[in-house]
Amino acid sequence: MYILLWNKYKPVLIKLMRDAANGPQEYQFISHEFRDLNPKERGGHAFKLEAYKRRAQNDIKMTVVAQDLMEILLKSNTAYELMEEAMYEFTMNKEFKLTVTRHEVEAPEENTEDVQAEAVLPETEVASEVTEKEEENA
């Protein structure tokens, strides 16, 4: 239902996503663009979409506006690449102001078991290893 509208604004959405690296970005839509598409919408057009990787991170099943936005984002190579790097939060309020915020996602920690294992060795084992190496060098 909202696919054509989101597709019309795709360049704006991409720019907002890119600029969100410097802080939240806002865009004011004209209310009639949404209301004309679905004048009987009872729940309003406000929504929140958290997009990361290839899917929404929050439940958007009841929000057609957000579902259609996600579909357009997935069809854009640029938006797709940006969503691979970070999570984007798209929030539209009752006044049709869209806010796009970029959230960095922490990478999983590297395996540090080997480093920790060395640190746990008793001093006597460390001392014996040092002594053995000194004897080999002598």
Side-chain angles (χ1 to χ4, degrees):
M1 183 176 300
Y2 300 97
I3 295 286
L4 292 175
L5 178 65
W6 288 127
N7 199 43
K8 172 184 169 183
Y9 284 101
K10 187 170 25 173
V12 173
L13 295 168
I14 301 301
K15 181 171 181 1
L16 293 171
M17 290 175 74
R18 284 185 174 143
D19 293 349
N22 299 322
Q25 302 296 306
E26 295 180 345
Y27 185 83
Q28 182 66 52
F29 285 98
I30 301 169
S31 63
H32 78 82
E33 289 184 292
F34 287 90
R35 290 187 177 139
D36 289 353
L37 289 173
N38 190 4
K40 295 180 181 180
E41 176 66 43
R42 293 176 185 235
H45 295 90
F47 68 88
K48 179 179 180 179
L49 165 63
E50 295 172 345
Y52 179 58
K53 300 279 181 180
R54 297 179 191 174
R55 57 185 152 146
Q57 299 297 306
N58 61 324
D59 186 10
I60 58 170
K61 290 178 185 171
M62 302 301 292
T63 312
V64 178
V65 182
Q67 290 174 6
D68 288 355
L69 171 58
M70 187 67 187
E71 188 174 330
I72 289 300
L73 293 173
L74 290 174
K75 289 180 180 179
S76 164
N77 288 336
T78 304
Y80 183 84
E81 289 171 8
L82 290 168
M83 289 187 298
E84 288 291 311
E85 298 170 4
M87 182 174 74
Y88 286 85
E89 180 181 308
F90 299 84
T91 308
M92 188 157 73
N93 64 18
K94 293 178 183 179
E95 288 78 36
F96 299 92
K97 182 182 285 187
L98 179 72
T99 304
V100 179
T101 308
R102 178 183 167 122
H103 299 285
E104 297 301 325
V105 179
E106 292 184 25
E109 290 185 30
E110 293 181 24
N111 189 353
T112 57
E113 288 180 26
D114 295 334
V115 175
Q116 290 175 353
E118 290 178 10
V120 177
L121 285 176
E123 280 186 43
T124 55
E125 288 183 22
V126 173
S128 65
E129 288 179 9
V130 171
T131 307
E132 290 173 6
K133 287 180 183 177
E134 289 175 353
E135 290 175 358
E136 290 174 3
N137 291 336

